[in-house]
Amino acid sequence: MFENTLEKADLVFDQQHIWHPYTSMANPLPVFPVASAKGVYIHLEDGTALIDGMSSWWCAIHGYNHPRLNEAIQRQVQQMSHIMFGGLTHTPAIELCRKLVEITPESLQKVFLCDSGSVSVEVAIKMAIQYWHAKGTPEKSKLMTVRKGYHGDTFGAMSVCDPVNGMHQIFNKVLAPQIFIDEPTPGFAQPLQAQDAANLETAFEENHQQVAAFILEPIVQGAGGMRIYSPAFLEKLSALCTQYGVLLIFDEIATGFGRTGKMFATEHTAITPDILCIGKALTGGMMTLAATLCTEDVALTISQGEAGVFMHGPTFMANPLACSVALASIRLLQDSNWQALVQNIETQLKEKLQPLQMHPRVKEVRVMGAIGVVECYHTVNVAAIQRFFIRQGVWIRPFRNLIYIMPPFIIQPDELHTVCQAIGASLYNEGHFD
Ligand code: PMP
């Protein structure tokens, strides 16, 4: 008997007692027991090896079980696994934050560590509100954002997610009312569209007196629709933020750490935000850690305000294991030829996925960096298509009408070929689409 092998009773227990993300307990979706994961492969308990197309939702950029990341955790666990951060500090946090200040835009000098992407968004929102409060204009307390965005599942984050996409609608009555404008016109290479510029200008003219910050995902809108848009939109937005006195928050939780071909998506533009949220691939997917970075102006204004302090402090702030492995992951990324790896993935995704555009089920194919998206006309039957992908030896988890991948950067061309083949083949299978 293998130690790792799950009995059938364990799976029944899982289905009866354990809530998986976005699932029903009355009618649970099938779950597949994983024994281990190494490199780009996920090994199921029954011996099936799957090529990972998801990087565990954008995180595992180096693949799984990387010896350098394992070693960082093992080394740190010998020293100290956790210690409160109030009144104490430690080398893992200092070294990580020094690295974050070094690799993010120069204007971002202050780092607030927390434990998940959603919380880093809450922190960013609170920073923006406290900033204007400290400046004596507390009426500037609303957020402005674009439709089709996604920023997490906590209340502040939910309030700036797309208000009609169905993920958080149930909570609309208790969510802080925010200001939404239409999402940017799709297309990375697009010049600024007149309609987009007009939408932005009107929104700023009408609302700037009550708006603390504009928050959005730069260049790629992730879970809200996997849409790619132009740097020109962000440049116009940044100019308006400066003109009207509104802070700019970039949520790079998904796009950060090389995924779009730049270390951060903001580098596709000529501008930088006042506040930046990062998470997910920060630790290479090894531990839960996120951070919110801000400018000197934001930090000092808050600190010199009436409250004198920033009102947030998670228990697991700056967890040393997470900080150590995050630093190791960033160093590993910097030591690798990640730009070339991501570029090669992009080239191959374009070559292999773009022909699917001709398929009658496919509305659009989009590729940027190590992200490939096949948008279908109809919703995908997740359980059926998942079983199909597993039979093809790949791990892809579609969402609504989107079959999308963001593989680990270490994926080899033949492995990526298998993943793309499986996506193509899935389109020909009846019963996979509603
Ligand atoms: N912002 C973006 C852009 C995200 O993609 C996500 C996670 N999907 C979040 C915020 C929330 O992060 P977490 O799930 O770690 O709370």
Side-chain angles (χ1 to χ4, degrees), residues 8 26 55 72 118 123 126 198-200 203 225 263 276-277 287 290 321 343 375 395 411:
K8 182 137 181 46
S55 298
S118 299
V123 166
K126 287 172 73 173
N199 290 344
L200 282 169
M263 184 61 96
L276 174 72
C277 301
M287 297 275 302
L321 293 176
Q343 178 63 60
E375 179 172 346
W395 178 248
I411 195 167

Side-chain angles (χ1 to χ4, degrees), residues 116-118 150-152 217 251 253-254 280:
S116 75
S118 299
Y150 177 80
H151 299 282
E217 300 148 277
D251 175 348
I253 290 160
K280 288 193 184 278

Side-chain angles (χ1 to χ4, degrees), residues 49-196:
L50 304 176
I51 301 169
D52 178 28
M54 303 301 292
S55 298
S56 285
W57 281 328
W58 313 83
C59 301
I61 50 176
H62 311 293
Y64 301 91
N65 215 343
H66 195 288
R68 269 177 66 177
L69 303 189
N70 288 350
E71 201 249 335
I73 293 196
Q74 277 154 7
R75 204 174 350 101
Q76 184 55 42
V77 93
Q78 306 296 329
Q79 305 294 320
M80 162 176 69
S81 296
H82 187 65
I83 194 83
M84 64 185 281
F85 210 50
L88 299 172
T89 193
H90 45 76
T91 306
I94 295 167
E95 287 195 355
L96 172 64
C97 293
R98 184 176 280 134
K99 179 60 87 181
L100 291 176
V101 167
E102 177 196 310
I103 65 171
T104 53
E106 210 186 322
S107 53
L108 300 172
Q109 286 293 319
K110 312 289 182 190
V111 189
F112 190 97
L113 294 166
C114 59
D115 31 32
S116 75
S118 299
V119 173
S120 83
V121 170
E122 299 294 325
V123 166
I125 292 173
K126 287 172 73 173
M127 278 180 178
I129 292 172
Q130 248 196 271
Y131 176 86
W132 293 108
H133 193 274
K135 274 188 168 302
T137 44
E139 62 281 6
K140 281 173 82 70
S141 60
K142 282 197 172 185
L143 277 295
M144 199 142 73
T145 187
V146 286
R147 296 201 170 84
K148 305 266 165 74
Y150 177 80
H151 299 282
D153 293 341
T154 49
F155 271 78
M158 282 197 293
S159 77
V160 285
C161 290
D162 189 296
V164 290
N165 82 1
M167 277 175 105
H168 300 128
Q169 252 169 313
I170 297 163
F171 306 103
N172 274 354
K173 280 210 173 73
V174 284
L175 291 177
Q178 313 289 20
I179 297 152
F180 290 84
I181 68 164
D182 281 348
E183 66 279 11
T185 304
F188 179 72
Q190 295 267 9
L192 181 64
Q193 302 296 295
Q195 188 58 58
D196 288 347

Side-chain angles (χ1 to χ4, degrees), residues 358-369:
M358 310 304 289
H359 194 283
R361 280 197 162 125
V362 175
K363 191 169 169 201
E364 194 181 41
V365 172
R366 303 188 277 275
V367 172
M368 169 139 210

Side-chain angles (χ1 to χ4, degrees), residues 80-362:
M80 162 176 69
S81 296
H82 187 65
I83 194 83
M84 64 185 281
F85 210 50
L88 299 172
T89 193
H90 45 76
T91 306
I94 295 167
E95 287 195 355
L96 172 64
C97 293
R98 184 176 280 134
K99 179 60 87 181
L100 291 176
V101 167
E102 177 196 310
I103 65 171
T104 53
E106 210 186 322
S107 53
L108 300 172
Q109 286 293 319
K110 312 289 182 190
V111 189
F112 190 97
L113 294 166
C114 59
D115 31 32
S116 75
S118 299
V119 173
S120 83
V121 170
E122 299 294 325
V123 166
I125 292 173
K126 287 172 73 173
M127 278 180 178
I129 292 172
Q130 248 196 271
Y131 176 86
W132 293 108
H133 193 274
K135 274 188 168 302
T137 44
E139 62 281 6
K140 281 173 82 70
S141 60
K142 282 197 172 185
L143 277 295
M144 199 142 73
T145 187
V146 286
R147 296 201 170 84
K148 305 266 165 74
Y150 177 80
H151 299 282
D153 293 341
T154 49
F155 271 78
M158 282 197 293
S159 77
V160 285
C161 290
D162 189 296
V164 290
N165 82 1
M167 277 175 105
H168 300 128
Q169 252 169 313
I170 297 163
F171 306 103
N172 274 354
K173 280 210 173 73
V174 284
L175 291 177
Q178 313 289 20
I179 297 152
F180 290 84
I181 68 164
D182 281 348
E183 66 279 11
T185 304
F188 179 72
Q190 295 267 9
L192 181 64
Q193 302 296 295
Q195 188 58 58
D196 288 347
N199 290 344
L200 282 169
E201 277 163 9
T202 311
F204 274 84
E205 270 163 36
E206 288 176 358
N207 301 297
H208 67 96
Q209 278 163 341
Q210 35 163 351
V211 173
F214 200 110
I215 180 169
L216 80 175
E217 300 148 277
I219 306 295
V220 181
Q221 293 187 291
M226 302 297 292
R227 302 172 73 263
I228 301 161
Y229 66 93
S230 151
F233 182 89
L234 295 168
E235 284 158 9
K236 173 73 180 175
L237 168 61
S238 171
L240 288 168
C241 282
T242 309
Q243 182 186 338
Y244 283 100
V246 168
L247 294 175
L248 181 57
I249 305 173
F250 278 178
D251 175 348
E252 291 234 33
I253 290 160
T255 52
F257 301 99
R259 181 60 64 182
T260 68
K262 302 277 188 191
M263 184 61 96
F264 295 99
T266 178
E267 294 167 33
H268 291 286
T269 74
I271 53 118
T272 56
D274 300 288
I275 302 176
L276 174 72
C277 301
I278 54 175
K280 288 193 184 278
L282 170 57
T283 63
M286 294 284 286
M287 297 275 302
T288 169
L289 184 72
T292 311
L293 287 94
C294 71
T295 59
E296 193 93 10
D297 174 39
V298 169
L300 293 186
T301 303
I302 290 171
S303 308
Q304 288 157 4
E306 189 189 311
V309 295
F310 178 54
M311 292 295 182
H312 207 94
T315 305
F316 285 99
M317 191 171 191
N319 172 261
L321 293 176
C323 289
S324 297
V325 76
L327 181 65
S329 173
I330 298 169
R331 285 187 175 147
L332 183 58
L333 189 63
Q334 289 183 315
D335 292 347
S336 74
N337 55 344
W338 64 269
Q339 288 98 335
L341 296 178
V342 172
Q343 178 63 60
N344 292 344
I345 292 173
E346 179 176 285
T347 306
Q348 203 183 343
L349 286 177
K350 283 185 173 155
E351 187 190 308
K352 298 271 161 52
L353 293 183
Q354 272 170 357
L356 300 178
Q357 189 94 52
M358 310 304 289
H359 194 283
R361 280 197 162 125
V362 175

